[in-house]
C-alpha cells in the first residue's frame, strides 16, 4: 500500500513541477550580437551570465587529468567567451554604462607574474592560457623567460664613468690624506732640521779646530767632505740639464727636408723669366713656335 502512495506522490510532484514550468516565461536566449541589445540592464545581465560560464570553465580547466585535447578545447571555449564578454562591455559603454574593461584581471605565468598578452589585430586581449593549459607541451615554453644576455661594455661606457677622482685629483677633499700627510711632513721636517743642526755643529767645530790648530777627527772630516761632494755633484747636474736644454732648443730649429736653390740658381731662374716676358711681348707666337721647332731639329736644348 505504501508503495502505491509513494508512486502517486512522486507522480503528483512531477505533475506540479511541470505545471509550474508551463506558467513560467520561456527561457530567453542570449543575443548572438551585442549590438542587438538596446537595454543597459539587459546588457549587464548577459555580461554577468558570460562571466559565470567563464568561472565554471576556468574551475574545470584546473584539473590536469582531463587530457590534452579536452584542456585545449576548454581553453578555446574560455577565450571565445572572453572575446564575447569584451563585446558586451563595449556595448555597455555605448549605452552609457560603466567601463568594466579597465578592471579586467591580468594574465599570469606559472610563477604568478603578470604577462602581457599581445594581440596581432590590436583589438582587445590576445589568446590566453588558463589552469593546466599553461603546462601543455609547446605552451610552457611561451611562459619561460629567455636568459638575460649580459651586454658587453664598450670602451665608451668604460671611459664614461671615469672622472677626476679616478686619477686621484679629489683625494684631498675627504681630509683623510691631509691628516696623514701632516704627521709625515712634521716627522720629515724634524729629521731634516736635526740633520742640518748636526752638520752645522760639525762645521763649527772644524772651523774652530782650524783656527786653534787642533786636529779634526776623521769621521767629522769625512762628513764635511761628503756634504761638499754632494753640493758639487748637484751643481754639475744643474749644468748638464742646462746644456741639454740648449741643445734641444737648437735641434728644434727649422730643418728643410727639400733641397732649396742657392743664389745663383735663383738669379738664373729670374733671368729666364725676364727673357720669356720680353719674347712674349715683342715676338709673335708663330715666330716662337718656329724657333722651338728649329731648336728641336738642331738638337739645341738652350
Amino acid at each position: 500500500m505504501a508503495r502505491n502512495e509513494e508512486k502517486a506522490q512522486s507522480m503528483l510532484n512531477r505533475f506540479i513541477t511541470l505545471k509550474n514550468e508551463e506558467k513560467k516565461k520561456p527561457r530567453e536566449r542570449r543575443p548572438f550580437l551585442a549590438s542587438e541589445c538596446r537595454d543597459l540592464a539587459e546588457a549587464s545581465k548577459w555580461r554577468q551570465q558570460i562571466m559565470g560560464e567563464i568561472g565554471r570553465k576556468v574551475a574545470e580547466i584546473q584539473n590536469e587529468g582531463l587530457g590534452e585535447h579536452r584542456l585545449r578545447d576548454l581553453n578555446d571555449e574560455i577565450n571565445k567567451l572572453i572575446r564575447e564578454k569584451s563585446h558586451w562591455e563595449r556595448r555597455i559603454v555605448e549605452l552609457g554604462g560603466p567601463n568594466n574593461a579597465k578592471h579586467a584581471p591580468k594574465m599570469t605565468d606559472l610563477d604568478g607574474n603578470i604577462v602581457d598578452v599581445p594581440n596581432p589585430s590590436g583589438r582587445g586581449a590576445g589568446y590566453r592560457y588558463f589552469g593546466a593549459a599553461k603546462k601543455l607541451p609547446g605552451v610552457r615554453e611561451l611562459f619561460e623567460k629567455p636568459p638575460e644576455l649580459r651586454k658587453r661594455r664598450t670602451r665608451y661606457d668604460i671611459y664614461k664613468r671615469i672622472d677626476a677622482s679616478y686619477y686621484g685629483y679629489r683625494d684631498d677633499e675627504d681630509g683623510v690624506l691631509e691628516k696623514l700627510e701632516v704627521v709625515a711632513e712634521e716627522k720629515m721636517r724634524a729629521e731634516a732640521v736635526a740633520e742640518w743642526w748636526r752638520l752645522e755643529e760639525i762645521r763649527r767645530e772644524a772651523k774652530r779646530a782650524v783656527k786653534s790648530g787642533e786636529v779634526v777627527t776623521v769621521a767629522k772630516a769625512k762628513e764635511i767632505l761628503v756634504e761638499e761632494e754632494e753640493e758639487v755633484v748637484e751643481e754639475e747636474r744643474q749644468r748638464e740639464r742646462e746644456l741639454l736644454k740648449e741643445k734641444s732648443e737648437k735641434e728644434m730649429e727649422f730643418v728643410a727636408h727639400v733641397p732649396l736653390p742657392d743664389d745663383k740658381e735663383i738669379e738664373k731662374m729670374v733671368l729666364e723669366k725676364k727673357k720669356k716676358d720680353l719674347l712674349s711681348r715683342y715676338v709673335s707666337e708663330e715666330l716662337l713656335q718656329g724657333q722651338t721647332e728649329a731648336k728641336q731639329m738642331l738638337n739645341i736644348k738652350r
Side-chain angles (χ1 to χ4, degrees):
M1 189 69 181
R3 290 178 61 85
N4 294 333
E5 290 179 359
E6 289 174 0
K7 287 179 182 179
Q9 187 70 22
S10 63
M11 289 178 66
L12 181 60
N13 290 335
R14 287 201 297 271
F15 177 75
I16 293 170
T17 304
L18 184 61
K19 286 295 183 182
N20 290 333
E21 288 179 356
E22 287 179 356
K23 291 179 182 179
K24 289 181 181 180
K25 295 181 179 179
R27 187 176 180 182
E28 297 182 45
R29 293 186 60 184
R30 189 166 64 238
F32 184 73
L33 297 174
S35 57
E36 296 177 357
C37 183
R38 307 294 179 183
D39 187 15
L40 179 60
E42 289 288 329
S44 300
K45 183 184 74 172
W46 298 129
R47 177 181 173 276
Q48 291 295 330
Q49 184 183 7
I50 293 170
M51 290 184 66
E53 294 178 10
I54 291 172
R56 287 193 297 272
K57 291 184 182 295
V58 168
E60 185 180 356
I61 204 173
Q62 304 300 324
N63 185 6
E64 298 182 7
L66 293 176
E68 181 180 348
H69 298 290
R70 178 58 182 160
L71 288 174
R72 291 187 184 276
D73 292 341
L74 275 173
N75 202 77
D76 292 340
E77 292 172 6
I78 293 170
N79 278 276
K80 184 179 178 182
L81 289 170
I82 288 174
R83 286 195 298 273
E84 190 175 354
K85 181 175 74 73
S86 65
H87 297 327
W88 284 104
E89 287 173 350
R90 283 198 296 272
R91 184 58 181 167
I92 289 171
V93 173
E94 291 173 359
L95 294 173
N99 187 5
N100 298 306
K102 287 184 178 180
H103 310 289
K106 302 291 183 180
M107 184 179 179
T108 58
D109 57 6
L110 297 174
D111 298 328
N113 301 319
I114 296 175
V115 179
D116 185 18
V117 185
N119 186 9
S121 64
R123 295 173 56 190
Y127 193 86
R128 301 185 178 189
Y129 291 92
F130 299 88
K134 295 180 181 179
K135 300 180 181 180
L136 292 174
V139 180
R140 184 187 293 270
E141 290 78 7
L142 299 175
F143 294 94
E144 292 179 355
K145 295 182 179 179
E148 295 182 0
L149 297 176
R150 188 176 179 182
K151 187 179 178 181
R152 186 175 179 180
R153 290 195 302 170
T154 60
R155 189 178 293 273
Y156 172 75
D157 296 332
I158 294 171
Y159 283 112
K160 188 169 62 175
R161 302 176 183 275
I162 294 177
D163 53 3
S165 59
Y166 177 81
Y167 295 101
Y169 292 126
R170 295 179 180 172
D171 291 346
D172 299 336
E173 293 181 0
D174 54 359
V176 177
L177 186 62
E178 187 177 354
K179 294 177 182 178
L180 298 174
E181 285 181 348
V182 166
V183 177
E185 185 179 356
E186 290 177 354
K187 184 180 178 182
M188 291 173 65
R189 187 176 293 172
E191 291 176 356
V193 170
E195 182 68 18
W196 186 85
W197 279 113
R198 190 177 65 81
L199 294 173
E200 187 68 18
E201 188 67 26
I202 292 170
R203 285 197 196 92
R204 290 176 182 175
E205 290 182 4
K207 289 179 181 179
R208 200 180 303 115
V210 170
K211 289 179 180 179
S212 61
E214 296 178 0
V215 179
V216 185
T217 59
V218 177
K220 293 181 179 180
K222 185 181 281 188
E223 288 180 1
I224 295 169
L225 290 173
V226 167
E227 186 184 1
E228 291 179 353
E229 286 179 0
E230 288 179 354
E231 292 178 356
V232 172
V233 169
E234 185 64 29
E235 290 178 359
E236 290 180 355
R237 287 178 180 173
Q238 184 67 23
R239 198 179 299 111
E240 287 178 359
R241 282 197 290 268
E242 291 177 357
L243 290 172
L244 287 172
K245 187 177 180 181
E246 291 177 359
K247 188 177 179 181
S248 62
E249 288 177 355
K250 289 181 180 179
E251 289 178 354
M252 288 174 66
E253 293 179 356
F254 177 74
V255 179
H257 299 282
V258 180
L260 297 174
D262 54 2
D263 296 339
K264 292 182 179 180
E265 291 180 356
I266 292 171
E267 289 177 1
K268 187 177 179 181
M269 291 167 65
V270 171
L271 187 60
E272 290 289 335
K273 191 171 185 300
K274 288 181 178 180
K275 284 182 180 180
K276 287 182 180 179
D277 292 340
L278 290 171
L279 287 172
S280 62
R281 187 179 298 175
Y282 298 107
V283 181
S284 63
E285 294 181 0
E286 295 178 358
L287 185 60
L288 284 173
Q289 189 175 0
Q291 187 178 0
T292 53
E293 290 177 359
K295 284 183 179 181
Q296 289 177 0
M297 291 174 63
L298 296 172
N299 197 12
I300 298 172
K301 296 182 180 180
R302 289 188 303 172

